[in-house]
Amino acid sequence: MESFWGALAAALSLIASAEPDLIAIVALSLRVTLTAVCLACVIGFPMGAMIGAFRFPGRRAAALLLNSLMGLPPVVVGLLVYLMLSASGPLGVLGLLYTPTAMIIAQTILVTPIVAALTKQITEDLQREYADQFASLGVGPLDRVWALLWDARFALITVALAGFGRAVAEVGAVMIVGGNINHVTRVMTTSIALETSKGNLQLALALGIILLGLAVLVNALAMALRASALRAAYA
């Protein structure tokens, strides 16, 4: 018990003093994760909206594929991205392996199906509600997608936050494609795994506290946005 409380006190001291290594790891984690989530939203929002709003051959298969990809094993994604970016892979000439860009690619692949599948469900429900209005007004396909996305904007922010929560806690894929290189590709999750194995519990615990704090913050924001959306709907 004494060692635990001692490690906890040291971890809080690291956070309070804004220890440079700690700040660098957190900053890189946020940069990689936020970039990946933004890319996933750019791809996933319109993809999910189109599957949710329109009926077309193969739509059921596309929806099934999206739902299946939500459970992609991170280590499998990491392996595939590694094979694509390795020296013998088709994209090896770009020299992206063991860089933050490789980690962003892996996280984007993991998060995009989640964003698209949740967007599909939201826009599908709205499409049922507005189908007659769209038909009577002769709304075109692109305008329909934009209208659905705009009407669902509060819910989609919650979707983006869910994607952030998934990405920021990821360790397997980023470890494989990033290599956990100090001051280059070392993020919070990979640092926690490494520092714990080294017995450096103070830094591992400090990063764990920050990661937990981010999870609580994301959930609080999601709840606040959901409450705002409900108030707007019944205003």
Side-chain angles (χ1 to χ4, degrees):
M1 291 294 292
E2 290 181 359
S3 62
F4 169 79
W5 292 114
L8 179 60
L12 294 175
S13 176
L14 286 175
I15 297 172
S17 63
E19 203 274 333
D21 284 343
L22 180 71
I23 297 302
I25 291 169
V26 174
L28 178 61
S29 297
L30 292 177
R31 178 163 66 88
V32 168
T33 299
L34 290 173
T35 304
V37 171
C38 288
L39 291 174
C41 290
V42 169
I43 299 168
F45 284 164
M47 181 190 299
M50 286 187 287
I51 296 174
F54 304 115
R55 300 292 183 270
F56 53 87
R59 177 180 181 274
R60 184 169 297 179
L64 177 62
L65 179 62
L66 273 185
N67 290 332
S68 300
L69 291 177
M70 289 179 69
L72 269 175
V75 290
V76 174
V77 173
L79 175 61
L80 293 175
V81 175
Y82 177 90
L83 293 174
M84 294 292 290
L85 299 181
S86 65
S88 58
L91 301 178
V93 67
L94 300 177
L96 296 179
L97 194 62
Y98 302 135
T99 67
T101 301
M103 299 159 68
I104 291 169
I105 293 171
Q107 285 196 354
T108 301
I109 293 172
L110 282 170
V111 175
T112 297
I114 298 173
V115 171
L118 295 177
T119 302
K120 177 256 178 190
Q121 185 59 54
I122 293 168
T123 54
E124 189 174 36
D125 294 339
L126 289 175
Q127 167 63 21
R128 295 194 190 100
E129 182 179 347
Y130 297 142
D132 293 338
Q133 286 181 281
F134 287 150
S136 63
L137 295 173
V139 178
L142 291 178
D143 289 335
R144 180 178 302 189
V145 168
W146 171 249
L148 290 172
L149 290 175
W150 176 253
D151 195 67
R153 59 192 181 278
F154 290 111
L156 293 180
I157 294 174
T158 304
V159 170
L161 291 174
F164 176 85
R166 174 69 178 85
V168 77
E170 163 37 37
V171 59
V174 296
M175 179 80 81
I176 293 173
V177 302
N180 200 21
I181 304 170
N182 193 24
H183 297 297
V184 179
T185 59
R186 186 163 295 171
V187 294
M188 285 189 286
T189 50
T190 59
S191 294
I192 291 171
L194 176 65
E195 299 303 331
T196 301
S197 67
K198 289 165 55 179
N200 186 6
L201 299 182
Q202 295 87 349
L203 181 56
L205 192 55
L207 290 167
I209 292 170
I210 294 173
L211 193 58
L212 182 61
L214 286 173
V216 172
L217 178 61
V218 166
N219 279 282
L221 286 173
M223 291 177 63
L225 288 168
R226 191 176 296 116
S228 297
L230 288 174
R231 286 196 298 269
Y234 292 104

